[in-house]
Amino acid sequence: MTNYNFIFGCVLLFNTLVTFWASSYRKKHFPCGSSSSEGDKQDEDPSPLIGGGDKEADSADVEHGGSKPDKSSSAASDAAANIRHSQLLRKYLAVYLLAAFSDWLQGPYVYALYAAYGYSQHQIAVLFVAGFGSSMVFGSFIGGMADQGGRRKFVILFAITYALSCMTKHFKSFGILMIGRLLGGVATSLLFSVFEAWLIGAHAKAGVMSHLGKSFSTAQYGNSIIAILAGQIANKAAAFKEFEPTSEGSGFYTGGYLGPFDISLLSLIVCGVLAFSLWEENYGEKSDGDDGDDSSKSGKSSATSALKGAFSTTMRSPDILSCGIISSLFEGSMYIFVFMWTPALTALAKEEMGEGEEFEGLPFGVIFSTFMVCCMAGSSIFSIAMDFMKPEQLAVIVFGVASSAFALVVLSGSATYTFLAMNLFEMCVGMYFPSMGTMKGMIVPEDKRAAIYNLFRIPLNFIVLFSLLTNLTPRVSFTLCGTMMVVATLLQMK
């Protein structure tokens, strides 16, 4: 039998080591060899993080009252940029991590809640398909609206929309639950586009674009911690009170699996309030030298025009198009992995049982926590790697390793080796998000950023819907994931 607790302990120790190695404390107090020299090199030339980032940062520093750095002023300029970045990052994380917390609270209990209401597997599948379909349809144009109307406003709209979705969960009504899934789909599109677009726009405005990779790495690390915390809190909230209607024959329920949704609702309220009070508004501003199109020339163009403009820009730029395809392939594989790891590990565990042994289930809490610690380690590895290579170079390695991880999952007949391969993929997830976030920050034009990010999610949602509507076995699903990772690796190498 697989010793999940032992593997969790080993992963936790590994994460502690790489997190310490990536920390500024270690670099300050325990500099060594190549890392120190590379760090000095990066101070002089931040281009390993962002192509041409030194020029952008310098010009932005001038706008903030400084002068172009030279040998005598670079230390003061770097210190000022670090202060601006720290202030910006604190504001962003206060809002983003609450949003992520609310999302993690709900995830494990959506299916369980629908089942508790007595809906069939087919009805539940319809609800899930509606949610992903809503994300695909509404997300295709809501990003353009955010670029034009203001990203902070749409973050607040995210909080309101997701909060309303949580409220609908209290009703044992298929129609109301369907409305909740549609609202949840819209909120999901906003969560995975508008927050990131605001962060990049705020970095550009503050003149700290060279710190963008660090921001994404920190956000990913914090997101993993929040996921573990949310899982523990949601588990206690679901067991706090019995699931029951408020009165005999009532269609309004409280307690049980609704507990995590109620906590999520409170988190979303605080998230919206903090976004309103802490964040400055930013818009999709037209980049210098961007000829644009009719939709970008008109500040108040329609959502349809914004969508057409985003699509036109994507199709004209091979880099943006390739980036969108790669992100859809990786994130599609990630969603399929989320659906399939439970049945895969369960089936292997049952196969390894001896005769007469009774299957008592798997420690899903420990397994999930192990995955999240691997994501944390991955984000720390990204921070370390940025001293030596550019994000686009690291991405080739990430996709290649992810391909190998899925190959091991498919070929292995051992629950232990399969679980270790899954952890390897989760480390790739931890490296992927800051890498891809940084690359998208470099190549996607600011005036259409949120719109294009949501366009990227259209093929992703097709992949997710395909996995929901087909009855693929875990082995076939993971083979599909591995194939998508090979394609992503080849595209990233071009």
Side-chain angles (χ1 to χ4, degrees), residues 10-350:
C10 293
V11 168
L12 188 61
L13 176 61
F14 176 75
N15 173 63
T16 302
L17 293 174
V18 295
T19 299
F20 173 74
W21 192 262
S23 67
S24 56
Y25 178 87
R26 197 278 306 170
K27 293 176 181 177
K28 180 178 180 181
H29 293 89
F30 304 97
C32 57
S34 60
S35 179
S36 177
S37 63
E38 289 291 339
D40 294 339
K41 181 180 178 181
Q42 186 168 322
D43 288 340
E44 296 173 5
D45 177 16
S47 60
L49 270 181
I50 303 292
D54 52 337
K55 296 178 181 177
E56 294 178 14
D58 291 348
S59 62
D61 286 340
V62 172
E63 291 175 6
H64 283 80
S67 58
K68 190 171 182 178
D70 52 30
K71 289 184 178 180
S72 62
S73 64
S74 61
S77 177
D78 288 346
N82 287 336
I83 292 173
R84 292 198 303 275
H85 173 254
S86 296
Q87 293 172 342
L88 169 60
L89 188 58
R90 282 196 294 269
K91 291 179 181 180
Y92 175 72
L93 292 178
V95 178
Y96 169 72
L97 292 182
L98 273 173
F101 180 65
S102 69
D103 190 52
W104 282 116
L105 282 169
Q106 299 180 49
Y109 293 95
V110 176
Y111 188 100
L113 177 64
Y114 294 156
Y117 278 136
Y119 292 111
S120 66
Q121 186 173 353
H122 173 73
Q123 290 174 309
I124 295 173
V126 170
L127 289 169
F128 271 89
V129 169
F132 285 107
S134 168
S135 179
M136 181 172 63
V137 174
F138 291 104
S140 62
F141 59 81
I142 202 168
M145 295 170 64
D147 286 331
Q148 297 166 11
R151 291 156 180 169
R152 185 187 68 166
K153 292 186 184 71
F154 276 74
V155 166
I156 297 171
L157 178 62
F158 154 81
I160 295 172
T161 304
Y162 220 2
L164 291 173
S165 176
C166 290
M167 292 179 185
T168 64
K169 299 296 190 294
H170 284 272
F171 295 89
K172 186 182 179 181
S173 165
F174 192 83
I176 295 177
L177 292 174
M178 176 64 75
I179 293 173
R181 285 300 296 173
L182 296 176
L183 291 172
V186 174
T188 301
S189 290
L190 291 171
L191 175 61
F192 289 100
S193 60
V194 179
F195 283 82
E196 191 172 314
W198 183 91
L199 178 64
I200 296 172
H203 273 67
K205 187 175 181 181
V208 290
M209 281 297 287
S210 60
H211 293 70
L212 187 59
K214 180 180 178 181
S215 296
F216 279 120
S217 177
T218 304
Q220 176 61 27
Y221 195 92
N223 185 38
S224 300
I225 296 175
I226 285 295
I228 298 172
L229 180 64
Q232 298 300 317
I233 293 176
N235 187 55
K236 293 185 180 300
F240 182 73
K241 183 183 176 184
E242 185 179 353
F243 179 70
E244 59 185 1
T246 53
S247 61
E248 188 69 30
S250 172
F252 187 87
Y253 281 67
T254 59
Y257 295 136
L258 288 165
F261 294 94
D262 291 337
I263 298 176
S264 179
L265 173 62
L266 295 176
S267 301
L268 289 162
I269 293 173
V270 177
C271 173
V273 171
L274 288 181
F276 178 78
S277 59
L278 294 179
W279 285 14
E280 296 179 356
E281 188 61 273
N282 73 35
Y283 302 85
E285 298 176 359
K286 189 174 178 181
S287 306
D288 293 338
D290 182 10
D291 293 334
D293 48 43
D294 292 340
S295 65
S296 61
K297 292 174 183 175
S298 173
K300 296 294 181 180
S301 61
S302 67
T304 304
S305 297
L307 174 60
K308 289 180 179 178
F311 179 78
S312 176
T313 300
T314 301
M315 297 306 295
R316 287 202 310 265
S317 170
D319 286 343
I320 296 177
L321 180 60
S322 178
C323 186
I325 295 172
I326 290 170
S327 64
S328 294
L329 291 173
F330 188 94
E331 293 174 34
S333 298
M334 185 181 70
Y335 276 108
I336 294 175
F337 174 83
V338 169
F339 297 148
M340 291 297 174
W341 71 259
T342 298
L345 289 179
T346 300
L348 287 172
K350 289 180 178 179

